[in-house]
Amino acid sequence: MYDSAFKAALYEQLSHVYRYLIKKGANPQDAEDIVQDTAYKYLMNLEAIEAAKVKSWLYRVAINQFYDILRRQKRTNHILKKIVYDEEAIDDLPEDILLEKEFQEHVQLILHQLREPYREILLLKYDLELKYTEIADMLNISIPSVKMTLHRARKQFLDQYRRMTNERKK
């Protein structure tokens, strides 16, 4: 069905995606699952994807799946933290726990209020700790555009955070 050159090129691209996922913190099993699912989706949508955009498409699908796994893990970690806080409440001051929880809620609320490009670029930079070049490749934009968008996103985030904390103090 597919010639050997096509298979070799796809295998090479998927190998890069796998290494990228490992580099970003995915465990090998999750990375393999993500790559396998990405390959399946690619083969199912082969005709709809432009040849010049295959690489960025593969990365985008894999990263989105990685985000899904991280979200699930965060939910699990949140539940575990809650249990641990209940178990170790003696060691931490209640004020510290409440302040940390309030801070996390503020961050999540502000992120949800940001426009999608700003939210996405902040998560790529600070949650996944990607470099400018990696973000540029993934979003198919130039490095100066990444820097400019990131600067604007940080500024908007900080403005909203300051407004929110000032409103709460009043």
Side-chain angles (χ1 to χ4, degrees):
M1 183 170 172
Y2 302 108
D3 66 349
S4 61
F6 174 80
K7 288 179 186 178
L10 180 59
Y11 180 78
E12 182 180 342
Q13 288 298 326
L14 292 172
S15 296
H16 290 291
V17 170
Y18 175 80
R19 286 193 299 276
Y20 178 76
L21 290 170
I22 295 294
K23 180 180 167 192
K24 292 301 155 200
N27 66 46
Q29 174 114 20
D30 287 341
E32 286 176 15
D33 291 343
I34 291 169
V35 167
Q36 183 177 6
D37 197 40
T38 301
Y40 175 75
K41 288 179 181 179
Y42 173 68
L43 293 174
M44 295 304 292
N45 297 302
L46 189 61
E47 291 83 27
I49 303 167
E50 294 177 33
K53 296 185 178 186
V54 169
K55 183 177 180 179
S56 61
W57 189 92
L58 291 171
Y59 275 92
R60 172 54 51 208
V61 170
I63 287 297
N64 285 340
Q65 290 178 337
F66 182 60
Y67 282 157
D68 291 343
I69 289 172
L70 287 178
R71 275 189 227 109
R72 277 187 245 124
Q73 287 175 349
K74 282 184 182 180
R75 283 187 213 124
T76 304
N77 288 344
H78 179 70
I79 292 168
L80 290 175
K81 279 183 181 179
K82 194 172 184 179
I83 292 169
V84 169
Y85 280 143
D86 290 344
E87 296 281 327
E88 298 178 358
I90 299 166
D91 295 341
D92 294 330
L93 295 174
E95 296 87 15
D96 294 339
I97 295 170
L98 287 174
L99 287 173
E100 178 64 26
K101 183 178 179 183
E102 184 177 330
F103 175 74
Q104 292 299 327
E105 288 173 356
H106 286 168
V107 169
Q108 292 301 320
L109 181 63
I110 293 169
L111 280 175
H112 280 61
Q113 292 173 351
L114 293 177
R115 291 184 10 230
E116 180 58 33
Y118 289 173
R119 177 177 42 241
E120 181 178 27
I121 205 158
L122 286 172
L123 290 173
L124 288 172
K125 180 66 179 162
Y126 297 108
D127 192 31
L128 292 179
E129 299 175 354
L130 299 179
K131 297 176 183 173
Y132 292 133
T133 54
E134 294 169 328
I135 295 170
D137 289 341
M138 196 174 308
L139 299 178
N140 203 18
I141 59 176
S142 67
I143 293 175
S145 293
V146 169
K147 290 179 180 180
M148 180 183 61
T149 306
L150 189 59
H151 172 75
R152 290 177 181 169
R154 279 191 300 250
K155 185 177 181 333
Q156 189 176 31
F157 181 90
L158 287 173
D159 289 346
Q160 288 188 14
Y161 182 77
R162 286 183 185 125
R163 257 188 265 127
M164 180 181 285
T165 54
N166 286 337
E167 287 175 8
R168 302 238 189 239
K169 290 179 183 177
K170 291 180 182 178

